Amino acid sequence: MRNILLSLLIGFLCSQASAQMAHHSFALADSVFLLDGKPFQVIPGEIHYTRVPREAWRHRMQMAKAMGLNTIGTYVFWNVQEPEKDKFYFSGNNDIAAFVKTAQEEGLWVILRPSPYVCAEWEFGGYPYWLQNESGLVVRSKEPKYVAEYRQYILELGKQVAPYLVNNGGNIIMVQLENEYGAYGSDKEYLNINKKLFEEAGFNGVLYTCDAADYVEKGKLPGMLAAVNGVTNPTRLRSLVRKFNDGKGPFLVAEWY
């Protein structure tokens, strides 16, 4: 009997491990998201790992799932992960990889928002304070010192979470490029630099931008899904998304308060 129970336990654990390592695909179609080639409605809610004690992550996610959500969104805060120049912290409550993995264990997908600027009622928009001490450095720009610092950060972040992209067997289905940049500027070269850095860091899945309706044109990149924030009318949302995405969808509201 003990041997039978042991065999069943081993079989269960192996099946669980296999399920967690199963590779999925996530893509954009003309009007829907496709998960493993089938239409998928993303129903997300935001939980910021830095604002919730690590001990409560799982319970919050379980409550989110009980509400009917299937996806968790979170910013990644640069000033939390690199509070001092060249000193990175990805442990304890700063362990973004553990947060993503916990969501996977709870059967939830993740939208990652590692944009250099997060707003989020967060000090300095999420930028580390020490950037202000670097002579000549200009945040959110093509200025070489800034790009070098940002590159180092995003590469370190990629080491932590790129393995959890859906196409790597994880649960991160989308990654946000910048954050409502159109309300700040319209430099497409700057946005392209961000895109190249993300790809260099291993974020090779679906990337998207997000902006309020009046600023999408300035904040979007050609060929990348442009989400429209704060629009609650489905007809208007479809019209706006098609306008900014070459007549196609899917239709995504990245932020809705």
Side-chain angles (χ1 to χ4, degrees), residues 7-67:
S7 297
L8 289 172
L9 178 60
I10 292 173
F12 173 76
L13 292 175
C14 288
S15 67
Q16 289 292 98
S18 176
Q20 289 181 11
M21 293 303 293
H23 281 231
H24 295 276
S25 64
F26 187 82
L28 311 179
D30 286 353
S31 61
V32 296
F33 295 106
L34 295 176
L35 179 64
D36 297 333
K38 298 177 182 179
F40 176 73
Q41 183 180 15
V42 181
I43 309 174
E46 197 90 353
I47 300 177
H48 296 159
Y49 61 105
T50 53
R51 286 182 156 120
V52 179
R54 180 169 178 161
E55 295 78 7
W57 286 350
R58 189 178 302 277
H59 184 236
R60 297 289 175 87
M61 291 176 184
Q62 290 170 344
M63 290 194 292
K65 191 173 182 180
M67 290 168 58

Side-chain angles (χ1 to χ4, degrees), residues 227-246:
V228 182
N229 292 351
V231 176
T232 59
N233 182 288
T235 301
R236 183 165 183 256
L237 175 64
R238 290 190 186 95
S239 175
L240 286 168
V241 171
R242 287 189 176 118
K243 174 183 176 182
F244 297 120
N245 290 287
D246 302 320

Side-chain angles (χ1 to χ4, degrees), residues 12 26 64 82 100 142 162 173 183 257:
F12 173 76
F26 187 82
E82 191 184 4
V100 172
K142 296 178 294 190
I173 53 175
Y257 303 108

